[in-house]
Amino acid sequence: MSESCCTTDGSCSTSGSTATATAVAETTATTYRVSGMSCGHCRTAITRSVGALDGVLSVEVDIAGGLVTVTTGGEPDDTAVAAAIDDAGYELTGRA
């Protein structure tokens, strides 16, 4: 029978020290220039399309500036981001 760290009163007790490893993913924010955006619908369409990509943590759309900032866990896949923006009906013209 193995020993448990739980005591009879429901509290946790460990003998000796235990180390807990926590993985922290590196995030990268990349800003792209996007043409064709003019309204809230544009923001929603791009946010949904790009936000559905693997590894994308957040999407911020600046309609007035023509910019889309994509935060990813690691390096972004520019080709996938461009395809998602194209699928939403807009054009990625490069990194800002």
Side-chain angles (χ1 to χ4, degrees):
M1 183 174 190
S2 64
E3 291 185 30
S4 172
C5 68
C6 297
T7 63
T8 56
D9 68 8
S11 64
C12 188
S13 169
T14 57
S15 60
S17 70
T18 56
T20 303
T22 303
V24 177
E26 182 178 324
T27 60
T28 303
T30 308
T31 302
Y32 300 94
R33 285 187 212 89
V34 176
S35 65
M37 300 185 301
S38 61
C39 65
H41 170 74
C42 302
R43 174 182 290 113
T44 301
I46 288 174
T47 300
R48 283 185 184 158
S49 186
V50 176
L53 296 173
D54 286 340
V56 172
L57 304 174
S58 69
V59 179
E60 294 180 34
V61 179
D62 174 4
I63 293 169
L67 302 172
V68 175
T69 301
V70 180
T71 302
T72 54
E75 284 299 312
D77 181 345
D78 290 342
T79 303
V81 172
I85 289 174
D86 185 61
D87 287 348
Y90 307 93
E91 181 183 2
L92 187 148
T93 59
R95 284 192 179 197

